[in-house]
Amino acid sequence: MTTNTLFAADALLPEGWARNVLLAWDDAGRLTQVQAGAQRPAGTETARGPVIPGMPNLHSHAFQRAFAGLTEHRAEQHDSFWSWRTLMYRFAARLGPQHMEAIATWLYAEMLEAGYTGVCEFQYVHHDVDGRPYADDATLSLALLRAAKKVGIGFTLLPVLYQTGGFGEQPPTEGQRRFVRSTESMLRLLETLKPQCDAQGARLGLAPHSLRAVPPEGLRDAIAGLEAIDRTAPIHIHIAEQTKEVDDCVAWSGLRPVEWLLDHAPVDERWCLVHATHMNDAEYEYAARSGAVAGLCPTTEANLGDGIFDFAKWRSHGGAWGVGSDSHASVNAAEELLMLEYSQRLARRQRNVGASAAQPHVATALTLEAVQGGARASGRATGGLAAGQQADFAVLDASHIALQGLPAPDMLSAHVFASHRTSAIEGVWVAGRPRVSAGRHALHDEAAAAFVAARTQLLQD
């Protein structure tokens, strides 16, 4: 087995910034050596800027990238998440497999160019446009797997269990007909997809959509079935995103959503609580203690008017967290960190909330924590630049006007807070293979054209 190497004048390791770092990895794309204070071996490539760990994107609905920007007009007197959801359902009703693959291919290339090296795909559009299963029940999931393989992004596939239209087993609406399936059919789908995921190095998990969409019996049986397939598989769930959801859950059960879940499900480090925006003090402590990762999607939560997660409170309890781009109003890992920090500044009326005792630079502290939490939520060994982890990393563009002439920690700060929505990523590597060079993916133009064609067709139909 050969060894591959890259030398970096500056690299962000799990313990912080280091100088003169030699990275080495094997043919499987696993880091075998991360040596600070090293001499550059003859013939070893030198990174063109500081090297930072690749960011896992822990929450994605790929098809919604083609919908981004199309709801920024008033449809009701008081627009909200719920009115946005109605419009989203209409868009989802038109998707075909070819649209899904084209949209996802472009989106995943965008993610790589923006510093994401892996994505957790929360996939809930399962059936044909009439609500009937495709002849091959895995059709749309396979389209996403093909897209991920094509662009070379790390992948965690999370087929979504969706059964009811609201708490108390309310019937699904017409707009949800493509999402709904029984627990038994979900477990058959997982068994079908497992070898497909294994073959391309992807991870397979499960996403009970939400407590309003999966009744207690379905949740219990699905988790038991998943454990029979893979006891370590990640489990993601939307929870406490909206105050109406909290109120409806209390009316149904007498408990708040996070409280109910923690009392009734085996929540542990495999779980990702997506959003978890509206928790009380006891829930913050209870959830953090479970080991679950909080899946924060700051730009989507802002776009939908969800509310503000109490980040400082979560961290005070030692809670793990990561970021996702969710509806893809933004596809930019740095911008998610910026929005997270700015939301906390607005809520608390103070600055540099995301800094830690170990890392006074906000961008450094947030990057390291988001990488760790995102890796756990992904169920993949992508937790940073350390031996045994996958060789997923990005190289900052030291020639970018916002970064030029700065020391490495300030370059990362400028990338997050001062690059004015332009990418300051020069290169991206996944499993030791270069996927982005000079800021662009090799499929950039081809994938963009196919995306535009698919979106145009969807809007005309």
Side-chain angles (χ1 to χ4, degrees), residues 138-423:
T139 292
L140 291 173
S141 291
L142 292 175
L144 292 163
L145 279 164
R146 286 193 299 272
K149 184 177 182 179
K150 195 181 305 181
V151 303
I153 198 167
F155 202 61
T156 299
L157 179 61
L158 300 163
V160 173
L161 183 63
Y162 205 116
Q163 298 183 324
T164 58
F167 291 101
E169 301 189 39
Q170 297 176 37
T173 67
E174 179 67 13
Q176 296 162 340
R177 67 183 182 274
R178 301 191 70 180
F179 315 156
V180 176
R181 59 167 68 241
S182 69
T183 305
E184 294 75 16
S185 72
M186 171 55 71
L187 295 177
R188 288 195 299 270
L189 177 64
L190 294 178
E191 289 171 347
T192 297
L193 289 170
K194 185 67 164 64
Q196 302 280 349
C197 289
D198 290 348
Q200 72 178 64
R203 194 71 197 271
L204 179 67
L206 172 69
H209 180 274
S210 57
L211 294 182
R212 68 178 184 271
V214 182
E217 182 179 353
L219 180 65
R220 180 197 67 211
D221 293 348
I223 293 169
L226 175 69
E227 290 186 344
I229 297 169
D230 181 354
R231 293 187 63 83
T232 66
I235 303 170
H236 291 216
I237 186 169
H238 290 138
I239 197 158
E241 179 179 4
Q242 291 286 317
T243 54
K244 181 181 184 300
E245 176 190 347
V246 176
D247 294 341
D248 289 350
C249 187
V250 171
W252 164 66
S253 69
L255 299 174
R256 298 167 61 86
V258 173
E259 182 184 11
W260 189 97
L261 181 69
L262 293 167
D263 281 353
H264 292 85
V267 178
D268 58 17
E269 292 186 355
R270 297 175 302 156
W271 286 68
C272 180
L273 308 182
V274 181
H275 304 303
T277 309
H278 301 286
M279 295 190 288
N280 62 23
D281 291 350
E283 287 175 305
Y284 272 101
E285 183 176 3
Y286 193 7
R289 195 167 63 242
S290 76
V293 176
L296 309 181
C297 307
T299 61
T300 289
E301 289 151 6
N303 183 268
L304 298 180
D306 287 348
I308 299 174
F309 181 86
D310 194 332
F311 182 61
K313 184 172 293 181
W314 181 251
R315 282 169 113 198
S316 74
H317 294 301
W321 62 278
V323 294
S325 56
D326 194 353
S327 67
H328 314 301
S330 168
V331 183
N332 187 320
E335 193 161 323
E336 296 299 336
L337 300 182
L338 178 147
M339 183 64 75
L340 173 61
E341 171 66 20
Y342 282 0
S343 71
Q344 303 305 304
R345 295 184 186 190
L346 288 167
R348 292 179 169 268
R349 297 185 297 281
Q350 66 185 75
R351 301 189 72 251
N352 300 320
V353 179
S356 68
Q359 301 294 345
H361 283 80
V362 174
T364 297
L366 294 183
T367 296
L368 289 174
E369 292 181 26
V371 166
Q372 287 285 331
R376 188 191 299 178
S378 302
R380 303 174 63 245
T382 57
L385 299 178
Q389 297 296 298
Q390 188 166 290
D392 287 7
F393 52 86
V395 179
L396 295 180
D397 181 4
S399 68
H400 190 288
I401 189 63
L403 278 62
Q404 279 187 44
L406 300 177
D410 290 334
M411 282 195 191
L412 181 56
S413 294
H415 171 51
V416 172
F417 294 106
S419 61
H420 306 296
R421 297 182 70 128
T422 60
S423 178

Side-chain angles (χ1 to χ4, degrees), residues 63-124:
F63 77 90
Q64 292 181 18
R65 182 55 174 157
F67 185 63
L70 301 182
T71 61
E72 308 307 315
H73 58 275
R74 182 172 292 175
E76 296 184 6
Q77 184 62 33
H78 299 288
D79 264 338
S80 67
F81 166 85
W82 305 101
S83 57
W84 171 88
R85 189 181 73 162
T86 297
L87 297 174
M88 182 270 289
Y89 282 174
R90 293 176 190 167
F91 189 80
R94 305 172 185 175
L95 285 166
Q98 72 281 8
H99 303 127
M100 183 72 87
E101 187 168 348
I103 294 166
T105 299
W106 167 243
L107 171 66
Y108 297 157
E110 276 190 290
M111 286 184 187
L112 285 165
E113 291 180 352
Y116 291 115
T117 49
V119 58
C120 298
E121 186 59 47
F122 201 100
Q123 156 57 2
Y124 58 78

